[in-house]
Amino acid sequence: MLGSGILKGLGVTAKNFVGSYHDPARMVTQEYPDTPAKLPEAYRNFPFLVTENATDPMGTLRCVACQICEKECPPQCIYIEKSKDKKPDATGKPQLYPAVFAIDTAVCMSCQLCVEVCPFDAIKMDHVFEVAATNRFEGLLLNREQLAKPNEYFHQIRPTEAAEVDGRLTAERKAAEEKAKAAAAAKAAAPKLPSPVAKPQDELRCSPTGEGGQPKPAEGGTTP
Amino acid sequence: MSVVATDSFLERAPLVFRDWIVGHFPVALQWLVHHLLSITAILTVFGLFFAFTTIAERKLLARVQNRLGPNRSGLPWFRSLKLWGLTQPFADAIKAITKEDIVPAVADKVLHFLAPVVIVAFSLLGFAVLPFGRHLIPVELDAAILYFFAAGTATELAIFMAGWGSRNKYSLLAAMRALAQLISYELPLILSVVPVILVTGTLSTGKIVLDQGFWTWGFLPHWHVFTPWGFAGFLIFLVAALAESNRSPFDLPEAESELIAGHLTEYSGFKYALFFMAEYFGLTALSGLGITVFLGGWQAPCAFLEFIPSWLWFMGKLAGMIVFFIWIRGTLLRLRIDQLTRLSWQFLVPLALLNLGNAAFWSLTSGWTGPLAFARWGISVAIVIVPFLLLGRRLTAGYAPRTYRYAA
């Protein structure tokens, strides 16, 4: 009948109108300045440096100043100076650390390539978006103190990825410890047949974690 | 205006207040003060009504689309007080007033200035004859309906003034298109009201309302909309009123998503706001007429609800009509110009003419009682429904039901 479509349409809009008052799933509006914006986990904007310990951020940076990200960065917004000395990292292994680590956020295009190439899980993408500055030169050039954020923060913004990274890191740590133990045992029983050592993929990955009870020259030398 | 002593105080309160003010003036000036007060009251009440219609429209449309709508404007010095954004219309008014008023160099300055003034003035004239309450009618005219339509039609002149005065091809073409629409719908609009005049035998709005004033068994009101011809007339009136006031789905003259702004292309700032205001005044006045003619005016729907002042009933019905129009706007899509004129000339006008015959039949058979009363209702309902179905089927042949090949 002519007009039945209009009545049906009026029904649909009425349902939407009533539903908008009692069905929170319908209302997707976030009242952003009043309530903090809910970002999807995969949202990414500008990298930050992960530190193991919030109380001593500069001492526990995961970054070992390998400069892969600096070389890989398409707009070349990362600037790193290696330290002259070695500092024990969070696990006690002596490593280089970045004396200077700066990212020019005016240049950074949030492409995430630095995160993809980092073998140490030391640089991750952030969730910040309120990044206005009063000075477009110094204000947008972030140094390592500004970039360093604790691992707990990483867990907050990306729980899935952070759990995966942490799980992998602890597994690698454990594997490295076992391997070191096995190596020590093998050394002790040198004349005997060589005992089976850890799996080859562990061998590949043990060094980046900076793990191992006693640094072995053969393995320590393979670090990039 | 005589005051009936049996009425409650609330019923008479506006009149008492007016007479109290008028009493302060010398007798020679009292007639002038009397009318100036009526004008002030209309401007204040319907100015505010317009303001809150705009915010209600934005809120309701937002809710229909599962949004929140404007909710941020508060008060100037109380930043924490948001008031659900209810002060938005005043912020809008300040914005409109402070905006730059641009007049094209080659425009006809006089007409360009006059058009928004004239359109607001004419759209306000209609309010003069609407009975807002039992005793609240600004001007009691015997030919009130005639006057209402004459004043309402004059706004078409202002639209053409706007299009012509802008000296802009687009404005002129849009104004002509707007005129085509308005003149097309003038006919069904008036034809839908004529049956009421035929049955009540009067052109006076006050008497038309009084005619709808009784109840069957105390709760069935004798409003015209509850008769077959009145119901059909009311529906035709609704469609025609939507088109006359340029409301969606008939908002072609100023289709903001398709055209620049139609005949308002060269208008900015407060002049634009005046056109906007006139559109809402026109809608409100037409809704008021629809209420007066079909929905029992200020009459309460049930006898026991009569203790509520009649002007509150009128304003409540008015708000209901406006909400209904907003609901329609949130639902329907804009018509094409050929669909629009075809709807009027091929569908509404024939149905309105038939409805006139229906009303004639109704008033001729007013003496039928008993089983004949049922026959009267049956014949009248048949005169409404059969042509509607036949005409609707003929006009939509080949169009409906539509099949969507690619949509889910």
Side-chain angles (χ1 to χ4, degrees):
Chain A
M1 196 184 77
L2 185 68
S4 57
I6 293 177
L7 293 180
K8 217 181 279 174
L10 285 174
V12 169
T13 44
K15 209 191 283 172
N16 272 287
F17 175 78
V18 177
S20 73
Y21 279 100
H22 66 76
D23 183 8
R26 282 175 185 275
M27 299 296 278
V28 292
T29 310
Q30 297 176 16
E31 293 189 79
Y32 156 59
D34 299 333
T35 55
K38 282 190 223 85
L39 297 172
E41 204 182 322
Y43 176 86
R44 64 170 202 242
N45 201 7
F46 299 135
F48 72 98
L49 296 176
V50 185
T51 68
E52 297 290 354
N53 193 341
T55 50
D56 177 23
M58 287 310 105
T60 55
L61 280 176
R62 278 187 193 164
C63 178
V64 298
C66 67
Q67 291 181 309
I68 295 179
C69 55
E70 185 184 14
K71 289 178 185 108
E72 206 65 54
C73 178
Q76 302 192 349
C77 67
I78 303 180
Y79 175 76
I80 301 174
E81 268 178 30
K82 283 187 183 185
S83 60
K84 298 276 180 290
D85 57 328
K86 286 194 175 187
K87 221 158 62 170
D89 63 1
T91 52
K93 183 180 177 184
Q95 290 273 22
L96 290 176
Y97 61 93
V100 175
F101 195 112
I103 294 180
D104 191 350
T105 52
V107 177
C108 175
M109 61 184 195
S110 298
C111 65
Q112 208 181 356
L113 280 183
C114 51
V115 177
E116 306 292 343
V117 298
C118 183
F120 301 94
D121 289 305
I123 190 164
K124 291 288 171 193
M125 294 309 282
D126 207 343
H127 268 190
V128 290
F129 58 93
E130 292 156 319
V131 286
T134 49
N135 180 323
R136 67 192 167 113
F137 302 108
E138 288 84 22
L140 293 177
L141 185 68
L142 304 184
N143 59 25
R144 59 176 196 159
E145 279 80 15
Q146 288 161 303
L147 287 169
K149 287 182 181 172
N151 197 22
E152 291 84 62
Y153 173 77
F154 185 39
H155 272 278
Q156 248 171 42
I157 61 171
R158 291 172 203 273
T160 336
E161 195 190 343
E164 185 262 325
V165 168
D166 272 17
R168 183 151 42 79
L169 287 185
T170 41
E172 283 168 8
R173 248 168 240 170
K174 203 176 279 172
E177 259 168 39
E178 272 168 18
K179 194 182 162 199
K181 222 176 275 173
K187 216 178 197 177
K192 284 185 180 178
L193 280 169
S195 60
V197 287
K199 289 165 194 169
Q201 71 259 39
D202 292 334
E203 204 169 332
L204 274 173
R205 306 205 68 170
C206 66
S207 33
T209 63
E211 195 46 68
Q214 48 184 55
K216 287 195 72 183
E219 281 155 10
T222 58
T223 26
Chain B
M1 242 180 277
S2 63
V3 174
V4 181
T6 53
D7 281 332
S8 68
F9 173 73
L10 271 178
E11 195 72 71
R12 285 180 290 111
L15 292 183
V16 171
F17 183 60
R18 185 195 64 193
D19 290 341
W20 176 74
I21 294 180
V22 168
H24 288 71
F25 288 87
V27 180
L29 277 178
Q30 279 190 354
W31 65 274
L32 183 66
V33 176
H34 179 114
H35 286 297
L36 281 180
L37 276 179
S38 300
I39 291 169
T40 318
I42 288 178
L43 283 180
T44 316
V45 171
F46 287 97
L48 283 174
F49 192 83
F50 155 70
F52 286 105
T53 303
T54 58
I55 179 86
E57 172 144 41
R58 293 174 66 180
K59 286 254 184 200
L60 292 183
L61 284 181
R63 284 290 173 172
V64 163
Q65 297 159 4
N66 290 329
R67 292 183 288 114
L68 283 171
N71 62 352
R72 300 207 60 81
S73 71
L75 293 170
W77 287 281
F78 306 95
R79 303 273 317 263
S80 55
L81 216 60
K82 281 279 175 359
L83 295 176
W84 311 280
L86 281 181
T87 52
Q88 184 71 38
F90 305 104
D92 286 343
I94 292 169
K95 189 201 93 171
I97 291 170
T98 51
K99 266 176 104 169
E100 187 186 359
D101 174 33
I102 299 165
V103 181
V106 290
D108 188 329
K109 302 279 189 307
V110 179
L111 282 186
H112 190 268
F113 170 77
L114 218 53
V117 180
V118 167
I119 198 166
V120 170
F122 278 129
S123 58
L124 277 171
L125 282 182
F127 287 109
V129 292
L130 293 180
F132 301 112
R134 199 181 290 274
H135 313 299
L136 285 180
I137 176 162
V139 184
E140 263 181 291
L141 282 182
D142 282 342
I145 301 264
L146 215 56
Y147 163 85
F148 185 93
F149 284 119
T153 316
T155 57
E156 292 167 20
L157 184 69
I159 285 177
F160 201 67
M161 275 162 77
W164 179 264
S166 300
R167 180 110 30 129
N168 176 330
K169 289 187 204 76
Y170 302 105
S171 292
L172 186 59
L173 284 172
M176 286 159 81
R177 198 173 46 235
L179 280 194
Q181 169 178 342
L182 293 181
I183 290 171
S184 296
Y185 279 86
E186 202 69 53
L187 201 56
L189 185 75
I190 295 175
L191 278 178
S192 67
V193 175
V194 168
V196 177
I197 299 164
L198 191 73
V199 170
T200 58
T202 174
L203 279 165
S204 154
T205 46
K207 283 185 190 137
I208 288 175
V209 175
L210 283 176
D211 191 66
Q212 307 176 60
F214 306 100
W215 296 272
T216 306
W217 307 312
F219 64 91
L220 286 179
H222 288 185
W223 299 352
H224 289 143
V225 73
F226 295 122
T227 58
W229 58 270
F231 184 70
F234 182 60
L235 289 186
I236 295 168
F237 181 87
L238 276 183
V239 177
L242 278 174
E244 275 295 303
S245 47
N246 296 342
R247 294 277 304 180
S248 177
F250 306 107
D251 53 350
L252 284 105
E254 199 231 313
E256 68 260 3
S257 47
E258 292 161 27
L259 315 170
I260 311 160
H263 55 280
L264 309 180
T265 305
E266 298 291 357
Y267 281 92
S268 56
F270 198 63
K271 283 182 186 166
Y272 185 88
L274 282 180
F275 278 105
F276 196 63
M277 201 188 272
E279 212 163 272
Y280 276 87
F281 281 149
L283 179 74
T284 315
L286 272 175
S287 303
L289 186 78
I291 290 163
T292 304
V293 168
F294 294 106
L295 296 179
W298 42 260
Q299 307 274 5
C302 308
F304 67 90
L305 286 173
E306 264 200 309
F307 67 93
I308 298 172
S310 55
W311 39 270
L312 267 185
W313 276 118
F314 185 88
M315 291 314 274
K317 287 176 188 176
L318 196 57
M321 286 281 277
I322 298 288
V323 166
F324 179 72
F325 282 140
I326 293 170
W327 185 13
I328 292 271
R329 180 175 172 187
T331 304
L332 296 183
L333 308 171
R334 187 177 297 138
L335 266 66
R336 224 165 46 208
I337 183 79
D338 63 316
Q339 297 168 333
L340 176 106
T341 42
R342 201 171 55 212
L343 176 68
S344 171
W345 293 109
Q346 295 192 1
F347 190 66
L348 293 181
V349 170
L351 284 185
L353 282 171
L354 273 172
N355 199 37
L356 190 57
N358 195 358
F361 166 78
W362 189 264
S363 63
L364 282 177
T365 56
S366 57
W368 290 12
T369 49
L372 275 180
F374 288 102
R376 185 192 186 205
W377 272 83
I379 291 169
S380 198
V381 168
I383 297 177
V384 171
I385 290 194
V386 172
F388 174 79
L389 288 180
L390 289 180
L391 205 55
R393 192 164 294 172
R394 208 180 74 84
L395 287 180
T396 58
Y399 290 107
R402 210 174 260 196
T403 50
Y404 296 95
R405 257 200 297 169
Y406 300 110

